Amino acid sequence: MLGKPTILNSAADYQNAVDYYKVHKSEKAVMIKKLENLRDNIYILVLKESSKGKEPEEQTADDFEKVLNPNPLKKKLGISDAQINTWIEEL
């Protein structure tokens, strides 16, 4: 890999990015934030049953509830919370 990683579509991409930011420490806070978001982004918003009859234009934030995402990005990429925490510590 050459240059700063911009697209992170696989576990290997994340590993390469961590390796890059170990050497180029000036922007490592950006990578730490990306890793924290990957680890913590496990919820999705779902329309409440009571709000399903409303027109989309009439729906507000109160019409949605947070539920656990059954297939978060970290699961799709095969990355565990332990691996993400290890990467954060390495930076």
Side-chain angles (χ1 to χ4, degrees):
M1 179 186 76
L2 298 174
K4 181 168 59 171
T6 56
I7 300 173
L8 304 172
N9 289 329
S10 68
D13 290 342
Y14 276 93
Q15 181 63 60
N16 289 336
V18 168
D19 293 341
Y20 174 87
Y21 286 108
K22 282 184 200 175
V23 175
H24 302 89
K25 296 186 181 290
S26 63
E27 298 179 29
K28 75 176 185 176
V30 173
M31 189 63 205
I32 290 172
K33 186 66 177 164
K34 285 182 182 185
L35 290 169
E36 288 171 344
N37 286 339
L38 179 66
R39 181 190 62 204
D40 300 335
N41 191 7
I42 58 171
Y43 294 100
I44 57 174
L45 293 175
V46 177
L47 190 61
K48 293 178 182 174
E49 286 293 325
S50 60
S51 302
K52 288 196 175 177
K54 286 186 176 180
E55 292 294 322
E57 296 83 14
E58 299 171 358
Q59 295 171 355
T60 64
D62 295 332
D63 294 320
F64 295 87
E65 62 184 334
K66 275 172 69 169
V67 296
L68 278 175
N69 185 351
N71 198 17
L73 179 60
K74 65 183 174 184
K75 182 177 176 183
K76 291 178 189 176
L77 299 176
I79 302 172
S80 67
D81 285 346
Q83 181 62 52
I84 294 170
N85 291 334
T86 301
W87 285 335
I88 292 171
E89 290 172 11
E90 289 176 4
L91 293 172

